[in-house]
Each structure stands twice: as C-alpha cells, then as structure tokens.
Amino acid sequence: MHKEVFRREERVLTLAREALADDSWQRDAAAFSALVAEYEKLCRQSRRLVTMGDRMQQTLGNLNRDLAESERKYRSIFENVTEGIYRCDSAGRLVEVNPAMAAMFGCASPEAFVAEVGLLHRLFCDPDDYRIYEALLASGDARRYEARVRAPGSESLWVEISASAVEADGVGLQGVVGVLVDVTERKDMIEEMCRLARTDSLTGMWNRGYFMELAGRELNRARRKGGDLALLMIDVDHFKAINDTHGHDVGDMALVELARIFGESVREVDVAARLGGEEFGVLLPDASAEDACAVAARIARAVRSAAIESVAGTLRMTVSIGLASLEQPQDSIDSLLKYSDIALYAAKKNGRDRVEVYRRSVCPRRSADNGPGCPDGSGG
C-alpha cells in the first residue's frame, strides 16, 4: 500500500537526483542535496508509519474476525444448549434468556418469558431461597445451588443454579449471568429411592430399618420431656395356614389389608411398620400403657371384623399383640422390642387373638375388646 501512496514522492526524488547530475546546478548542489536527504528521511519515516498502519489494520481485522467468531460460537451455545441461560442487570431485571430457559417454563419465546417474568426473584417459590441466592452471589459465585422455581402459569421445578456477577472496572456490578439446570427428575428419583429404602414394597408401611430410626427419635424426645411411650408388637395368627389354604397371593392381600387397618386405627403421630413377614410394630408416642391397651384393642377388633374373599372361601384373621411401655430411663428401643416380643409370645401361648402387656406392675385395664380378655398380670 505504501508504494502506491508515495509514488508521487518517488517521482519527485527521481527528478531531483537527475537535476543533481546536471552541472548547471553545481552552485546550489549542497543545499539541494540537503533538501533531498531530508525528503528521503521523511519518506522513510512515512513508509514506516504506513507499514505500522497496515499491520495495525491487519491486527484489527483479525481481532474483528475473532470477535465475530466468538460471538457466533456464543450465540450458537446460547441458542442451542439444553440448559437455561439468563442475564440480569444490577437490579435483578431479566435482560435476556435463551430458548431453553423459556421452554423450561412453558413460554413460547425468550422475549415473551422476559416480558412476563420481568424480575428474577419472581421465579423463586420461596423468598428465602432467593435471599440465599443473593447471599451466595455477594460472597462470590453461586455454584450448584438447588431451589424450587416456578414461572406464572407453569408447574414448579427443582433447578440447580450456577451464577456469577459481571463487574466492570470503575463501574462496579453490571449484572449477573446464570445457568439453570432442571433437576426435577433427578430430585424425584432421589426422593423415590429414599422412600423405597424406608418403606415395605408390599404394604407401603415403613420398614424395620426406618422404624428403628423413627423409634429412636421418639424415645429420645420422650426422655427429654419425660413423656410416655408405648410399643405394640403384632403378629398374624396362623399365617402359614392362610398361605397354605388360600395361596400366597391371598396372603399378600391379607398383609395389605392389615396395613390399611393399622393406618385407620392409629394416630398420624404414631409409627406403624412391617417388621418382617407377618410381624408388625406400632410405636405410640405420648401414650400411656392404658392408652396403648385401648389402641391394641381397637386394632384387634378391626382385624377380627375384616374379611377377604378368595376362591378358597372367605378369609378372616386374628392377631396376637404384645405391649410394652417406657417405664425406666435405661429402657431402649431394643429392650422395648424385647419386652413386647415376650408379651407377644405370651399372647400366642395363652390362646391367640388377645393382647398381653409386659409390665413390672399389673395390667392397667381389662377389656372384652381384647378377645378372651386382657391378662391379669405381666406377660413376661
């Protein structure tokens, strides 16, 4: 480029050199030579400046191309990723969201989503979750923060948020850029796995492991507050004969029916579980031995009244129940299970379809609802 710019100057320099070769210019040769030398110097400096300009122009062109390529890549990611991406200004107003985030909340377009929601905090179902989000941003970045969110007119979602503040030198906070990942399915799966780990697959009742965990909590609470606590151990009478006569499928139906009866016979705060096979446990917080006897009688009566139809005929059941109460500070869940199991064995031994109470004193009451009758003394 510089050759084209300085073509005229080169021609002038050529004429000047030719004039210097003419003898008629001898008297002014020194001054003319100095002029030519300065002009040559000026041309060299000008060439260097033009060369620098060419290089700067080329560098600027490369930067523009790189910037355009980066913008294209950013737009491609922004438009096509499955995760939701959003930008907010310093006041928390949504500036831009990608199509994935709009679709996540059931909106037709990103523009419609921004217009409908407006402020980011409106997405959070719980205001406390948004305050925690802001605190995380203030302390650095929010990384993999889980919260429940919902846009107007959409169902709630569990999302994992990763966001960071955008700042400019001398200006401060410019806004926030964040990514939302829908983890609802994963959250539901984890909750379902927890539920399956805690419940009996056939009856839907708590299993033995979770029963022990809940029972331990209730025992500690009863010790702290000095409250009552009772435990019922329940076993189906002649359950093997039920399976042999009616079949195992009917036996399973019987266990499910028992789970229903237990659910209707106890309070919401009580803990009922299938401990294994045809054996069940019911923990009764804040229940005295007399209260527990009433619950046991109600359960026995409900089971006695239940009927299950099968091809082998009508199935009727009875249960034997052993009852133990928290009486001494050193009593543990294991000891209460042991005592109620001893009482249950006594109920089986004394004719079944009855309630036996393990106590270090006398039975708190008699009741005809207990079948043949509440025992006079300790079951153990």
Side-chain angles (χ1 to χ4, degrees), residues 270-303:
D270 298 332
V271 182
R274 183 186 179 190
L275 303 182
E278 68 275 17
E279 190 173 69
F280 299 85
V282 178
L283 187 76
L284 304 170
D286 300 317
S288 65
E290 185 173 0
D291 295 333
C293 264
V295 174
R298 184 164 61 245
I299 290 174
R301 184 171 61 251
V303 172

Side-chain angles (χ1 to χ4, degrees), residues 241-315:
I242 293 175
N243 281 331
D244 292 343
T245 304
H246 298 270
H248 288 274
D249 55 337
V250 177
D252 289 345
M253 291 172 58
L255 295 176
V256 173
E257 176 66 11
L258 286 170
R260 183 194 64 79
I261 292 172
F262 297 150
E264 293 179 353
S265 302
V266 301
R267 303 165 299 174
E268 187 175 345
V269 296
D270 298 332
V271 182
R274 183 186 179 190
L275 303 182
E278 68 275 17
E279 190 173 69
F280 299 85
V282 178
L283 187 76
L284 304 170
D286 300 317
S288 65
E290 185 173 0
D291 295 333
C293 264
V295 174
R298 184 164 61 245
I299 290 174
R301 184 171 61 251
V303 172
R304 203 177 299 124
S305 301
I308 300 174
E309 299 298 331
S310 74
V311 294
T314 301
L315 168 64

Side-chain angles (χ1 to χ4, degrees), residues 91-136:
R93 287 184 293 267
L94 288 168
V95 176
E96 184 181 25
V97 301
N98 69 338
M101 184 161 176
M104 191 181 297
F105 292 94
C107 285
S109 68
E111 295 76 17
F113 179 83
V114 172
E116 185 175 7
V117 177
L119 296 169
L120 181 66
H121 77 82
R122 292 176 179 169
L123 290 177
F124 288 76
C125 296
D126 187 344
D128 288 338
D129 287 342
Y130 183 71
R131 284 191 282 269
I132 294 173
Y133 163 81
E134 285 189 312
L136 291 172

Side-chain angles (χ1 to χ4, degrees), residues 25 150 165 173 200 261 269 277 287-288 311 362 372:
W25 293 84
R150 180 178 56 213
L173 179 65
D200 173 58
I261 292 172
V269 296
S288 65
V311 294
V362 297

Side-chain angles (χ1 to χ4, degrees), residues 17 44 64-65 90 112 120 133 165 176 214 250 302 307 347 360:
R17 291 188 187 98
R44 288 194 301 271
N64 285 333
R65 284 193 296 273
S90 58
L120 181 66
Y133 163 81
V176 174
L214 294 177
V250 177
R360 278 140 279 202

Side-chain angles (χ1 to χ4, degrees), residues 135-210:
L136 291 172
L137 281 178
S139 62
D141 294 338
R143 286 284 179 262
R144 304 174 70 88
Y145 172 59
E146 289 188 357
R148 187 177 284 277
V149 295
R150 180 178 56 213
S154 69
E155 295 183 357
S156 64
L157 304 170
W158 276 103
V159 296
E160 189 177 79
I161 307 173
S162 296
S164 59
V166 178
E167 298 183 354
D169 294 339
V171 179
L173 179 65
Q174 292 292 290
V176 174
V177 175
V179 178
L180 263 69
V181 181
D182 185 354
V183 296
T184 305
E185 185 176 348
R186 185 182 74 190
K187 194 84 171 178
D188 291 344
M189 182 176 65
I190 292 174
E191 290 180 358
E192 178 64 11
M193 290 174 62
C194 290
R195 187 191 68 81
L196 291 174
R198 294 172 174 177
T199 58
D200 173 58
S201 59
L202 175 63
T203 63
M205 301 177 70
W206 297 129
N207 59 22
R208 185 183 186 92
Y210 195 54

